[in-house]
Amino acid sequence: PHIKDKIRRSLRCRHLSPDLLQALLHKNVTDLDLEDLEITDSHLEVVSRYKNYRKLNLNQTKKPSFKAIEKENETPPPCESSICQVLQGCRYLHTLFMAGWQSVTLEVMTTLVTSCPHIRFLDLGHCRPGLDDRMAAKVGELSRLESLSVTGSTAITDVGLSNIGASQAAATIKELRINKCREITDEGIEMLLMGLEALEILIFNGCPKVTDESRLALDRYLREHRVNVRQLSWTVY
């Protein structure tokens, strides 16, 4: 292991400056965890200089502040072009965690699909406004996708679930987390289940428009796919 990797992993990186991050990266870095860091465009510019990543953890899931002074001092979120710059050329990337981001757009998802075709694990939970229906269709083009989280999305609807269920990824998705998505209904759950072939874990609790009809759709799905399914979690209203 490279000595820089040992140093980087031993540091608490919440206040890691772009210059220090640059000093701790090298061309053979494959696994980069910046979850504790308040990421800026400058950090992403540094990260984008290297393209050998297999796993990137860029989660930004800190709780929002309601104090006026802290809000005034908040660092603006990175722009979509900075994220795209990181993804471009990362052809070995198989795991991307971006929970809590505010800059996840259709352009970002398009860049991900075209530049990182080997993505297997994708976390877009608690993004604002989150994965919408057009982005769901784009993510569905990831033909190796196994795990997808869009937890807390306020933008995805039944159309987005239908897009996922009819996509290339429907044959490979094993884990899907759509909990706390307020706009999805029974119809979306049913259309989603009609397409998924390899599902093992499905989480959709906290979706207020879902009723007992979804439980019936699950019963039908289980009769046909019981050998695969390992975990189900839902709430009906």
Side-chain angles (χ1 to χ4, degrees):
H2 200 290
I3 185 63
K4 289 185 177 182
D5 295 334
K6 294 182 178 180
I7 296 173
R8 190 179 66 253
R9 290 166 183 163
S10 68
L11 291 175
R12 291 181 61 83
C13 67
R14 182 165 180 77
H15 301 293
L16 194 66
S17 69
D19 288 340
L20 183 53
L21 178 61
Q22 170 62 51
L24 294 174
L25 293 180
H26 55 90
K27 66 179 181 179
N28 293 321
V29 172
T30 59
D31 187 342
L32 183 60
D33 185 351
L34 299 180
E35 181 164 9
D36 291 332
L37 179 65
E38 190 171 332
I39 298 174
T40 65
D41 285 321
S42 296
H43 289 102
L44 292 183
E45 194 279 325
V46 171
V47 174
S48 70
R49 298 175 190 175
Y50 306 96
K51 299 298 180 183
N52 204 34
Y53 304 113
R54 269 63 170 177
K55 179 179 179 180
L56 282 175
N57 183 352
L58 306 177
N59 284 346
Q60 299 282 278
T61 53
K62 66 178 183 178
K63 294 182 180 179
S65 171
F66 294 98
K67 296 180 181 179
I69 294 178
E70 290 186 16
K71 284 188 174 183
E72 289 177 2
N73 295 329
E74 279 184 356
T75 303
C79 61
E80 64 177 18
S81 61
S82 296
I83 305 172
C84 291
Q85 189 176 5
V86 169
L87 297 176
Q88 288 167 356
C90 285
R91 62 184 182 277
Y92 303 117
L93 191 67
H94 60 66
T95 300
L96 178 63
F97 297 155
M98 293 188 65
W101 279 71
Q102 300 178 41
S103 312
V104 175
T105 64
L106 182 60
E107 181 181 350
V108 172
M109 290 299 99
T110 300
T111 303
L112 176 67
V113 169
T114 55
S115 300
C116 313
H118 300 292
I119 288 289
R120 294 166 52 205
F121 306 97
L122 180 61
D123 187 351
L124 301 173
H126 301 290
C127 293
R128 288 292 175 267
L131 194 80
D132 64 20
D133 298 334
R134 290 193 301 163
M135 286 190 273
K138 183 57 66 174
V139 167
E141 296 177 20
L142 292 167
S143 61
R144 293 175 172 84
L145 189 64
E146 295 181 23
S147 175
L148 173 64
S149 172
V150 296
T151 296
S153 171
T154 59
I156 194 167
T157 71
D158 292 341
V159 174
L161 296 188
S162 176
N163 289 339
I164 293 173
S167 69
Q168 297 179 57
T172 59
I173 290 177
K174 297 179 180 179
E175 178 178 8
L176 182 59
R177 296 177 180 269
I178 52 175
N179 47 309
K180 300 181 181 178
C181 294
R182 303 185 64 84
E183 299 303 319
I184 64 176
T185 72
D186 298 324
E187 185 176 356
I189 297 293
E190 186 165 2
M191 289 188 292
L192 175 71
L193 291 173
M194 287 175 61
L196 297 180
E197 300 176 15
L199 188 67
E200 296 179 4
I201 298 172
L202 177 62
I203 310 295
F204 63 100
N205 53 291
C207 303
K209 295 184 179 181
V210 170
T211 73
D212 201 49
E213 289 298 317
S214 290
R215 182 186 61 79
L216 299 177
L218 275 172
D219 286 343
R220 292 190 292 271
Y221 185 86
L222 286 172
R223 284 197 293 270
E224 299 177 6
H225 302 85
R226 185 174 295 276
V227 66
N228 293 333
V229 177
R230 294 190 291 116
Q231 180 182 350
L232 293 170
S233 177
W234 71 92
T235 307
V236 295
Y237 293 84

